[in-house]
Amino acid sequence: MAHYRAVGNIPPKRHTQHRRRGGELYYEELMGEEGFSSDSSLLYHRSLPSTISAAQVWGLPDQSTTPNHPLVPRHLRLHDLIDAKSVRRTDVVTGRRLVLGNGDVRISYVVAGRPSPWYRNAIGDECLFVERGRARVETVFGAFDVKEGDYVIIPRATTHRWLPRRSANNPLRVYCIEANSHIAPPKRYLSRYGQLLEHAPYCERDLRGPDGPLLAEDVGAAADEETEVFIKHRGRGPGGVVGTIHTLPFHPLDVVGWDGCLYPYVFNVADFEPITGRIHQPPPVHQVFEGHNFVICNFVPRKVDYHPLAVPVPYYHSNVDSDEIMFYVDGDYEARKGSGIAKGSISVHPGGHAHGPQPGATEASLGVERFDELAVMVDTFRPLDLGEGGLAVDDGEYALSWSRGKGR
Ligand SMILES: [Fe+2]
């Protein structure tokens, strides 16, 4: 994020003495990307940020992956992944089920009903898409109230936790995109100084920054409350991912003020202004964020192609350089009609295999003026392997849905 923010109690000049009323110094921490060469923020702590009193292994959920071999397109039914009875015992951090992953990005899914532990991902930025439900996300930068359709972008190494709003009928469902890199708006939408340009489908006004500062006493905790922080980091485990739990002799919400261009933020998909045309627009118009070797796109309700002879559903396409993963959130996805794809489904269309509308979908789309669909797509430039969660809910028959004309 290149947009400067200043929150709470900070000194007029950086790297100078900043004292409490009693005269003690606050501890200044620079949180910066790419060494000292990219966006950063300065945070002012009440406690020494380096202090820990213990460290132990955090045994992560299964991070192993299986290649998509023999190569086939797949349909994964995410809503079958989580047993409703387990939701009360599940949190957004430790309850994630790995669905797909490669060396650049991991996609997991969770339905959560209880608060997560304090957590930071030391491997990369996270983009959490709230499919359903509500939560409060508390971070050292401040808090967010998040709801359906929100993308929550959490920079690498940000200490935070997820507190689901209790709802028996509408539990919190989160689609988790964990990068091994940073996640940002597409470069082509940014000025050379980082402002979102006029042709971007969203702008700074659509982004929510954290309310802050947020201190232990604001959440009913004592400043000296011993706290465990779960850290996901690089190491010799499946996917190069391992976990450690640090015990802090104080509460992590101890930042009295911060400023800079690096902080978590939220963008709601309903604020994405679709780019449409007389004939079919290519997927890059749907792009919302990007990381190293992958992009995130969203297909939102929109007016569709209005040339008198337009074909609104996509043409068949070979994504020569990428795997394409679509998560279907809402509405009817016109191109997939008859395939069994429904809300909560993922389609996996791997590189090396052409894909497109199911039989009959092209004809059915002719003359349609509007698509009522909401889907989140991740395209990766390296092949995606299947996680244990993906294998568990693979319908096993999607690859044949074009040859059978299934459902039509
Ligand atoms: Fe596609």
Side-chain angles (χ1 to χ4, degrees):
M1 281 310 292
H3 318 295
Y4 175 80
R5 280 176 185 257
V7 171
N9 179 6
I10 60 173
K13 190 152 184 77
R14 64 183 173 172
H15 317 323
T16 60
Q17 297 172 29
H18 187 34
R19 294 183 184 276
R20 302 188 195 207
R21 277 208 188 115
E24 303 141 277
L25 284 167
Y26 288 115
Y27 301 99
E28 184 184 52
E29 176 201 9
L30 177 95
M31 195 171 149
E33 296 179 342
E34 299 178 21
F36 295 85
S37 307
S38 188
D39 293 349
S40 65
S41 285
L42 287 167
L43 295 83
Y44 294 88
H45 294 268
R46 295 194 294 209
S47 302
L48 260 166
S50 311
T51 311
I52 59 171
S53 51
Q56 59 182 301
V57 170
W58 169 24
L60 294 173
D62 188 352
Q63 299 293 299
S64 62
T65 54
T66 304
N68 182 10
H69 186 215
L71 186 75
V72 285
R74 295 172 186 269
H75 170 198
L76 315 178
R77 300 177 187 274
L78 286 198
H79 285 184
D80 292 347
L81 193 55
I82 314 284
D83 169 17
K85 288 180 192 151
S86 69
V87 171
R88 247 177 344 116
R89 305 189 302 274
T90 304
D91 70 73
V92 170
V93 168
T94 67
R96 295 178 192 179
R97 303 277 302 271
L98 184 65
V99 178
L100 294 150
N102 65 18
D104 300 309
V105 65
R106 292 175 303 284
I107 295 168
S108 57
Y109 186 68
V110 64
V111 187
R114 75 169 190 183
S116 79
W118 288 96
Y119 165 64
R120 64 175 171 262
N121 185 331
I123 299 175
D125 293 358
E126 295 192 351
C127 171
L128 296 308
F129 180 77
V130 179
E131 179 197 6
R132 295 282 185 271
R134 289 174 177 267
R136 186 160 176 82
V137 182
E138 294 176 347
T139 84
V140 292
F141 292 89
F144 303 92
D145 287 312
V146 302
K147 62 179 191 303
E148 197 169 300
D150 277 340
Y151 291 100
V152 185
I153 306 292
I154 308 275
R156 177 188 278 169
T158 300
T159 305
H160 67 285
R161 67 176 175 180
W162 282 76
L163 308 169
R165 298 282 189 219
R166 283 272 164 81
S167 172
N169 301 326
N170 192 28
L172 180 67
R173 294 175 173 273
V174 183
Y175 186 69
C176 313
I177 302 166
E178 297 179 16
N180 283 12
S181 58
H182 298 301
I183 296 175
K187 282 191 192 68
R188 67 180 183 282
Y189 289 142
L190 298 173
S191 77
R192 62 186 164 133
Y193 299 115
Q195 183 177 6
L196 284 157
L197 294 166
E198 275 297 304
H199 68 290
Y202 58 96
C203 76
E204 288 81 0
R205 289 187 203 179
D206 300 317
L207 308 178
R208 284 146 48 205
D211 296 336
L214 185 69
L215 293 164
E217 53 268 33
D218 299 324
V219 301
D224 60 356
E225 184 176 300
E226 187 175 77
T227 308
E228 288 185 335
V229 178
F230 287 53
I231 305 167
K232 191 176 285 178
H233 60 98
R234 290 168 281 202
R236 284 178 179 260
V241 181
V242 293
T244 292
I245 302 170
H246 280 174
T247 306
L248 316 184
F250 53 83
H251 196 278
L253 290 180
D254 74 336
V255 174
V256 297
W258 61 270
D259 78 332
C261 295
L262 180 65
Y263 48 85
Y265 62 94
V266 175
F267 171 67
N268 191 278
V269 69
D271 290 320
F272 186 93
E273 299 303 329
I275 297 167
T276 60
R278 287 223 311 161
I279 58 171
H280 198 76
Q281 298 295 296
V285 303
H286 304 286
Q287 190 184 346
V288 59
F289 297 113
E290 64 190 15
H292 178 66
N293 270 348
F294 74 93
V295 297
I296 303 172
C297 303
N298 41 217
F299 293 76
V300 301
R302 63 194 183 280
K303 180 175 184 171
V304 290
D305 320 343
Y306 46 90
H307 184 286
L309 295 177
V311 179
V313 293
Y315 33 79
Y316 293 87
H317 49 286
S318 288
N319 20 15
V320 171
D321 292 321
S322 57
D323 281 12
E324 184 184 303
I325 310 305
M326 188 86 85
F327 174 48
Y328 302 86
V329 178
D330 238 330
D332 292 320
Y333 199 76
E334 298 286 339
R336 298 273 87 80
K337 276 187 174 168
S339 67
I341 295 279
K343 291 177 194 177
S345 294
I346 284 183
S347 60
V348 180
H349 295 134
H353 178 71
H355 68 276
Q358 256 61 29
T362 300
E363 294 79 357
S365 77
L366 303 180
V368 170
E369 295 185 349
R370 188 181 159 79
F371 281 177
D372 170 31
E373 64 191 23
L374 180 59
V376 174
M377 184 170 81
V378 175
D379 281 11
T380 64
F381 292 111
R382 289 205 280 180
L384 280 163
D385 294 338
L386 292 147
E388 62 79 23
L391 289 171
V393 292
D394 184 350
D395 87 345
E397 55 183 19
Y398 179 65
L400 302 178
S401 63
W402 288 269
S403 58
R404 288 206 294 255
K406 191 180 162 193
R408 282 184 186 277

